[in-house]
Structure formats: C-alpha cells, structure tokens
Amino acid sequence: MDQPQHLSTQLEGMERLLDADTGAILFRHPTLRGIPDLVLEGDGYTLEFIGPTLLCIDIRNPAGLARLLAEPFKAQLPVAV
C-alpha cells in the first residue's frame, strides 16, 4: 500500500474520468483496488479510503461539492453559492 501522502499529492497521480451525459467526475487510484476502509458521503460526492490512501472521489453533483468547499469563504466570494 502507498505511504501516507497529502491529498493534493495523491490527486496528482489519479485517473480522471468524466461522464459527458451526467457531468459526473471520477478520480480513481490507478493501481489500488479493494474494499474501502472508510467511505464518506456528502451532498453529491463520495470519498473512499483504504487506510490513509485515497481510493476514489466520485463527484455526482459538482455544485454540491462547490458549496461545501466555498462555505468557509462564503462571505468573501464575489458570487452567491
């Protein structure tokens, strides 16, 4: 299994797939397969981990994820989220 890394480092090596029909985005670890130890589900997205390693990010609703990421900065944004 991979050594623990920062999320940004793990994302750089992931496969990226886009479903043109639904707009869903999938980031998937290129070599790691198996049943995740931890699954986090949110408003339109799922994160799966095996140990400290990110297995995949499934973004079914990009707007839901954007709202989550923007929450701490909402007052500073020039547009409504």
Side-chain angles (χ1 to χ4, degrees), residues 18-25 59-60 62:
L18 175 64
D19 184 323
D21 295 330
T22 65
I25 305 165
I59 305 170
R60 297 173 305 283

Side-chain angles (χ1 to χ4, degrees), residues 34-60:
I35 299 172
D37 300 323
L38 175 65
V39 176
L40 303 172
E41 294 191 54
D43 182 16
Y45 65 92
T46 303
L47 304 172
E48 297 180 1
F49 293 86
I50 292 182
T53 303
L54 182 63
L55 179 62
C56 78
I57 301 176
D58 183 4
I59 305 170
R60 297 173 305 283

